[in-house]
Amino acid sequence: MKAQPRLRIAVQKSGRLNNDSIDLLIRCGLKIRATKNALFCHGENLPIDVLLVRDDDIPSLVVDGVCDLGIVGENVLLEQAIIYQQDNAQSNFAVIKKLGFSQCRLAIALPQAQLFDGPDSLTGLRIATTYPNLLREYLMRNQVKAKIVTISGSVEIAPRLDMADAICDLVATGRTLEEHNLKEVDQVVTSQAVLIKSLKTLTENVPSKKNDILELLLRRIGGVLKAQESKYIMFHAPKASLPMIKEFLPGSEMPTIMALDGIEDKVAVHVVSSEGVFWITLEKLKQAGASSILVLPIEKMLS
Ligand code: PRP
Ligand code: ZN
């Protein structure tokens, strides 16, 4: 009998993307035995296997069809997509979904004391980066002549070592810059994790077993992402305030309204809000007469 096809998904081995990527797959119901140092994790309950690699290697693994899918930062993709365009090669991958996690930006940073008065201030400076293509594009876009110093890591220490006057690196919380007395002065691109697929192994519009597995995974990812933003809200409210309350809860469809034993003018309301619930929303609810307000996370959602 022919072996059943399996999907292979490339995920970052360690770093910013790793935890959230694995977490997403587990939330999708995939059981993998996470053994330390293992490169390959066999999916035990779904025909999906995980390959743990360096994030920079993910696009080429997917382009070459070694992996069917990959979870990678747009930053890596953009940096390398520019290479593909230059080589004039047919890009063999497609971005199928933005995943919302690992949000960061590629930014230009200068020593705290240095003045910045727009991109022109970078003229003649040496800028250290691991993203030479995106930096080159930024400099061209702003018609600035500066020297790109391509290094392979620890970009933030380059100014202190006098290897560069400025840097172009990823910033998430800004902590790394602060620790190195640098300040963010301009943004090159923003980035988040995305799911990419190989157009070599997952041909579009051609039904296949692999495409079926992808469909299933995408449905579950959609459910996980939706559940993450959604909250289940329960409260008591005066009947008269219900129309007003509905306006405070955007994205909440078809609330369940239940009678409260022995209380005529109040009801219990249960509602799913799809837009995240903030303190300010709860305070508005309270002002409108709601009480006993409970906000619960939703684990799974399928509609
Ligand atoms: C980036 C970047 C900084 C840090 C910034 O590295 O190079 O070191 O994150 O984050 P912060 O603003 O929250 O301090 P990353 O972990 O993405 O590794 P990589 O660039 O080697 O892939
Ligand atoms: Zn990296």
Side-chain angles (χ1 to χ4, degrees), residues 79 106-111 114-116 118-171 177 182-188:
E79 175 71 16
L106 185 65
I108 307 284
L110 291 173
Q114 200 157 326
L115 290 176
F116 182 80
D120 271 348
S121 305
L122 303 171
T123 303
L125 299 188
R126 299 163 298 161
I127 311 174
T129 191
T130 53
Y131 295 85
N133 292 314
L134 288 174
L135 175 56
R136 190 174 308 113
E137 205 193 51
Y138 165 88
L139 292 173
M140 271 164 56
R141 188 167 17 134
N142 289 290
Q143 299 180 313
V144 171
K145 282 208 158 55
K147 184 169 167 28
I148 299 172
V149 181
T150 306
I151 56 179
S152 60
S154 306
V155 172
E156 59 276 2
I157 60 167
R160 214 191 320 150
L161 301 177
D162 197 30
M163 292 165 68
D165 312 297
I167 67 167
C168 168
D169 197 15
L170 293 182
V171 182
L177 291 185
L182 298 165
K183 61 175 179 189
E184 183 177 349
V185 294
D186 207 359
Q187 197 169 284
V188 178

Side-chain angles (χ1 to χ4, degrees), residues 175-246:
R175 217 184 85 190
T176 306
L177 291 185
E178 203 171 303
E179 281 170 1
H180 292 84
N181 284 315
L182 298 165
K183 61 175 179 189
E184 183 177 349
V185 294
D186 207 359
Q187 197 169 284
V188 178
V189 289
T190 57
S191 173
Q192 62 172 289
V194 293
L195 182 69
I196 58 173
K197 74 167 179 180
S198 173
L199 295 177
K200 242 187 182 166
T201 64
L202 291 161
T203 330
E204 268 170 341
N205 306 321
V206 179
S208 71
K209 283 253 167 64
K210 274 196 173 182
N211 270 321
D212 291 346
I213 308 169
L214 174 61
E215 283 295 308
L216 170 105
L217 182 65
L218 283 178
R219 261 200 314 277
R220 292 193 181 180
I221 289 177
V224 170
L225 297 183
K226 204 167 160 205
Q228 263 170 8
E229 287 169 11
S230 303
K231 296 282 179 258
Y232 195 79
I233 311 168
M234 308 192 282
F235 53 89
H236 296 171
K239 277 182 187 163
S241 344
L242 284 181
M244 198 198 279
I245 282 174
K246 274 187 194 163

Side-chain angles (χ1 to χ4, degrees), residues 15-197:
R16 171 193 306 281
L17 286 159
N18 167 270
N19 263 340
D20 288 341
S21 305
I22 296 290
D23 194 53
L24 175 67
L25 294 174
I26 290 173
R27 279 166 184 259
C28 286
L30 182 67
K31 285 209 168 77
I32 40 173
R33 221 174 292 140
T35 45
K36 273 250 150 80
N37 301 323
L39 268 178
F40 187 82
C41 304
H42 181 85
E44 291 172 13
N45 59 336
L46 290 170
I48 298 173
D49 302 319
V50 179
L51 195 68
L52 294 167
V53 294
R54 279 177 20 143
D55 64 344
D56 313 66
D57 294 336
I58 293 175
S60 57
L61 286 168
V62 171
V63 165
D64 295 342
V66 176
C67 292
D68 306 288
L69 299 172
I71 297 178
V72 68
E74 288 172 310
N75 53 305
V76 169
L77 217 52
L78 288 167
E79 175 71 16
Q80 301 192 8
I82 292 173
I83 301 174
Y84 293 133
Q85 277 165 20
Q86 276 175 355
D87 289 351
N88 238 346
Q90 186 74 36
S91 85
N92 254 325
F93 71 92
V95 175
I96 28 182
K97 209 170 184 59
K98 297 199 179 214
L99 299 172
F101 57 82
S102 280
Q103 298 205 5
C104 59
R105 52 202 181 270
L106 185 65
I108 307 284
L110 291 173
Q112 290 282 5
Q114 200 157 326
L115 290 176
F116 182 80
D117 195 20
D120 271 348
S121 305
L122 303 171
T123 303
L125 299 188
R126 299 163 298 161
I127 311 174
T129 191
T130 53
Y131 295 85
N133 292 314
L134 288 174
L135 175 56
R136 190 174 308 113
E137 205 193 51
Y138 165 88
L139 292 173
M140 271 164 56
R141 188 167 17 134
N142 289 290
Q143 299 180 313
V144 171
K145 282 208 158 55
K147 184 169 167 28
I148 299 172
V149 181
T150 306
I151 56 179
S152 60
S154 306
V155 172
E156 59 276 2
I157 60 167
R160 214 191 320 150
L161 301 177
D162 197 30
M163 292 165 68
D165 312 297
I167 67 167
C168 168
D169 197 15
L170 293 182
V171 182
T173 61
R175 217 184 85 190
T176 306
L177 291 185
E178 203 171 303
E179 281 170 1
H180 292 84
N181 284 315
L182 298 165
K183 61 175 179 189
E184 183 177 349
V185 294
D186 207 359
Q187 197 169 284
V188 178
V189 289
T190 57
S191 173
Q192 62 172 289
V194 293
L195 182 69
I196 58 173
K197 74 167 179 180

